[in-house]
Amino acid sequence: MASLGQITLPRAPSLQKGLLRRPIRTPIRFNGRIASVLTNAGSVKASVSQKVIEEEAKVLVGTYARAPVVLSSGKGCKLMDAEGKEYLDCASGIAVNALGHGDPDWLQAVTDQASVLSHVSNVYYTIPQIELAKRLVASSFADRVFFCNSGTEANEAAIKFSRKFQRFTHPEDKEVATSFIAFTNSFHGRTLGALALTSKEQYRTPFEPIMPGVTFLEYGNTQAATDLIRSGKIAAVFVEPIQGEGGVYSATKEFLQSLRSACDAAGSLLVFDEVQCGLGRTGNLWAYEAFGVTPDIMTVAKPLAGGLPIGAVLVTEKVAETIKYGDHGSTFAGNPLVCSAAIAVFDKVSKSSFLASVSSKGLYFKDLLVKKLGGNLHVKEVRGEGLIIGVELDVPAGPLVDACRDSGLLILTAGKGNVVRIVPPLIISEEEIERAVEIIFHDLTALD
C-alpha cells in the first residue's frame, strides 16, 4: 500500500488497454479505522477521497480551489483516484508532465541519480547540471543558463538580469532604464516581481504595493509597444509567444519582430516567457522558432524535469557578461536529481520525430474539435499550436470542465474563465484524443 500521512491508500487497479481490470476489494486504513472499499469507480462503501479532502481543509493554507478529486496513481496519459476511477489526463499537471506519468526512462534516470547523489547545493560543481545546460545552449539561441526552481523564479531572475544589464551597460548614467512592458492576458508568476508583470488585477491587488514600473499594453499592439520602448525608459519587454493562462492566444510574427527591432534600437532587452509553451508543447522545441525571432532572455520551467521542480533562464552572452558572482543564486537549483530528470525529458522531447508527432497530433486534435464542437452555439473558436489548445466559449467554461471530470476527462480553464485549455501529455495517442473529444462533445450540454 502507498501511505499518505495517516491515510493509507489502496494500490491502484492495473490499467490494461485503458480499462480497469476486475474490481478488487481492498482494506483502507484511515486514522486507525479500516473500511472495505471496492476499488472500481462508483462502487465505494467508504470514500477515502472525502476524508482526504476534509483533512486537507484542517492542515493546509487555503490557496487552492481544488477539484474534488484525490489522485493516487498514473501511467501514461491515465490517472487513477483513490477509489479506482480512471481519468484521461489532458491537463498534465498544468502542462508539466510532457512524458505523461511513469515514463520508464524518466523513472530510471531519477532512481539511478537518487541512489548516488541528489543535492549538494551550488557551492560545488555537479555533472548533471553541466550536461543539461550544454543541451539547452546547443538547442537554442542562448549562450549560458541560470537554473532555478520554477517559472516564477525564472522570471524573477530575468527581471534582475534586465536591470543589472542596464546598469552595467550605462555605468556613467545617473538614471538608467528600470521599467518594464508586459501585456494584457499575461501570466508570469505569483512572486512579487513576476506578479507585477501579470495582468490580472485580482492576482495583484491583495498584495499591493508590488514592484513599480510596469506598463501593460494590449497584446499585439505594435505601435503602442514601439512608442513606449523608444522612450528609453524600458529595461525589458516581457512577452509570451503563446499565452497559456491568458487564454491560449498566439502572437503574430510581425508583432514579435517589431518588438525585437524596437528593443535593438533602444537598448532594451526582449524576454520570452516560454514557461508553458516551450520545450515541445507547440511542435517546435522552442515556441520562438516558429516566429523567426530570438530573444535576449528566455524563461522555461514547467515540462523541463517532467514533474520535478525546475526553472531555467537562457541568456545571450551580452546579458551573461553583466551578471557577476553574488548577483543571484539558489540553494536547490540545478541539483543532480532534478537535472538528471530533465536530461531524460529533454533527450526524448528534442528528437525531430517526437516533435513532428506533437505537431501532427495537435492538428488532429484541433480538427476533431472543430468538427465535433463547431456547430455548438456556445463555441466561438478553437485555437492553439501543437498540443496547447484553447476552446473559447461565450459562457463560463467551468460547468463543462466539471462535467468532463465527472466523465473521466481532466481539462482546465483559462483566460477570463471562458476558455477550455487542453494541454495533454505530449505522448497522447490518437485514440486518446478521439476519446477526449467525444467526452467534451457529449458534455457540452452542461453549458445549457
Side-chain angles (χ1 to χ4, degrees), residues 1 64 132 137 253 264 282 285 344 420 426:
M1 291 190 175
Y64 303 109
L132 177 58
V137 167
K253 183 175 183 178
D264 287 341
T282 65
L285 184 60
V420 174
L426 303 183

mmCIF file of all heavy atoms in Angstrom, residues 1 64 132 137 253 264 282 285 344 420 426:
data_model
loop_
_atom_site.group_PDB
_atom_site.id
_atom_site.type_symbol
_atom_site.label_atom_id
_atom_site.label_comp_id
_atom_site.label_asym_id
_atom_site.label_seq_id
_atom_site.Cartn_x
_atom_site.Cartn_y
_atom_site.Cartn_z
ATOM 1 N N MET A 1 0.828 -1.207 0.000
ATOM 2 C CA MET A 1 0.000 0.000 0.000
ATOM 3 C C MET A 1 0.863 1.259 0.000
ATOM 4 O O MET A 1 1.953 1.267 0.529
ATOM 5 C CB MET A 1 -0.916 0.028 1.225
ATOM 6 C CG MET A 1 -2.012 -1.030 1.178
ATOM 7 S SD MET A 1 -3.215 -0.751 2.484
ATOM 8 C CE MET A 1 -4.398 -2.013 2.061
ATOM 9 N N TYR A 64 -5.817 27.095 -2.751
ATOM 10 C CA TYR A 64 -6.252 26.420 -3.982
ATOM 11 C C TYR A 64 -7.739 26.065 -3.923
ATOM 12 O O TYR A 64 -8.211 25.526 -2.920
ATOM 13 C CB TYR A 64 -5.454 25.128 -4.205
ATOM 14 C CG TYR A 64 -3.962 25.346 -4.258
ATOM 15 C CD1 TYR A 64 -3.140 24.920 -3.214
ATOM 16 C CD2 TYR A 64 -3.377 25.998 -5.336
ATOM 17 C CE1 TYR A 64 -1.771 25.127 -3.260
ATOM 18 C CE2 TYR A 64 -2.010 26.213 -5.382
ATOM 19 C CZ TYR A 64 -1.213 25.778 -4.345
ATOM 20 O OH TYR A 64 0.134 25.994 -4.381
ATOM 21 N N LEU A 132 22.977 19.194 -18.636
ATOM 22 C CA LEU A 132 21.698 19.780 -19.026
ATOM 23 C C LEU A 132 21.893 21.157 -19.644
ATOM 24 O O LEU A 132 21.285 21.479 -20.680
ATOM 25 C CB LEU A 132 20.772 19.871 -17.815
ATOM 26 C CG LEU A 132 19.417 20.537 -18.067
ATOM 27 C CD1 LEU A 132 18.640 19.811 -19.159
ATOM 28 C CD2 LEU A 132 18.603 20.612 -16.779
ATOM 29 N N VAL A 137 21.813 25.081 -24.239
ATOM 30 C CA VAL A 137 22.563 26.035 -25.056
ATOM 31 C C VAL A 137 22.646 25.563 -26.510
ATOM 32 O O VAL A 137 22.427 26.341 -27.446
ATOM 33 C CB VAL A 137 23.968 26.254 -24.458
ATOM 34 C CG1 VAL A 137 24.879 26.974 -25.439
ATOM 35 C CG2 VAL A 137 23.866 27.035 -23.148
ATOM 36 N N LYS A 253 3.908 36.918 -36.003
ATOM 37 C CA LYS A 253 5.318 37.084 -36.337
ATOM 38 C C LYS A 253 5.673 38.560 -36.423
ATOM 39 O O LYS A 253 6.737 38.994 -35.945
ATOM 40 C CB LYS A 253 5.616 36.385 -37.657
ATOM 41 C CG LYS A 253 7.071 36.417 -38.081
ATOM 42 C CD LYS A 253 7.286 35.602 -39.347
ATOM 43 C CE LYS A 253 8.749 35.572 -39.751
ATOM 44 N NZ LYS A 253 8.961 34.739 -40.966
ATOM 45 N N ASP A 264 16.145 46.485 -29.996
ATOM 46 C CA ASP A 264 17.502 46.662 -30.509
ATOM 47 C C ASP A 264 17.849 48.140 -30.647
ATOM 48 O O ASP A 264 18.955 48.573 -30.289
ATOM 49 C CB ASP A 264 17.651 45.967 -31.860
ATOM 50 C CG ASP A 264 17.691 44.456 -31.738
ATOM 51 O OD1 ASP A 264 17.956 43.947 -30.625
ATOM 52 O OD2 ASP A 264 17.454 43.777 -32.758
ATOM 53 N N THR A 282 4.456 23.185 -28.577
ATOM 54 C CA THR A 282 3.854 23.700 -29.808
ATOM 55 C C THR A 282 4.187 22.858 -31.039
ATOM 56 O O THR A 282 3.684 23.129 -32.128
ATOM 57 C CB THR A 282 4.331 25.135 -30.080
ATOM 58 O OG1 THR A 282 5.755 25.120 -30.331
ATOM 59 C CG2 THR A 282 4.027 26.054 -28.917
ATOM 60 N N LEU A 285 10.693 22.713 -30.725
ATOM 61 C CA LEU A 285 11.324 22.565 -29.422
ATOM 62 C C LEU A 285 11.084 23.818 -28.589
ATOM 63 O O LEU A 285 10.706 23.743 -27.422
ATOM 64 C CB LEU A 285 12.826 22.294 -29.581
ATOM 65 C CG LEU A 285 13.562 22.022 -28.272
ATOM 66 C CD1 LEU A 285 12.982 20.798 -27.548
ATOM 67 C CD2 LEU A 285 15.052 21.839 -28.523
ATOM 68 N N ALA A 344 16.587 13.378 -19.101
ATOM 69 C CA ALA A 344 15.759 12.302 -19.647
ATOM 70 C C ALA A 344 14.602 12.867 -20.457
ATOM 71 O O ALA A 344 14.270 12.352 -21.538
ATOM 72 C CB ALA A 344 15.239 11.418 -18.515
ATOM 73 N N VAL A 420 -11.657 26.797 -22.497
ATOM 74 C CA VAL A 420 -11.221 25.462 -22.106
ATOM 75 C C VAL A 420 -9.784 25.300 -22.588
ATOM 76 O O VAL A 420 -9.497 25.473 -23.776
ATOM 77 C CB VAL A 420 -12.114 24.370 -22.728
ATOM 78 C CG1 VAL A 420 -11.554 22.986 -22.418
ATOM 79 C CG2 VAL A 420 -13.543 24.502 -22.224
ATOM 80 N N LEU A 426 2.523 15.096 -24.018
ATOM 81 C CA LEU A 426 2.896 15.121 -25.438
ATOM 82 C C LEU A 426 2.905 13.729 -26.047
ATOM 83 O O LEU A 426 3.003 13.590 -27.272
ATOM 84 C CB LEU A 426 4.264 15.775 -25.610
ATOM 85 C CG LEU A 426 4.394 17.200 -25.046
ATOM 86 C CD1 LEU A 426 5.775 17.766 -25.358
ATOM 87 C CD2 LEU A 426 3.302 18.116 -25.566
#
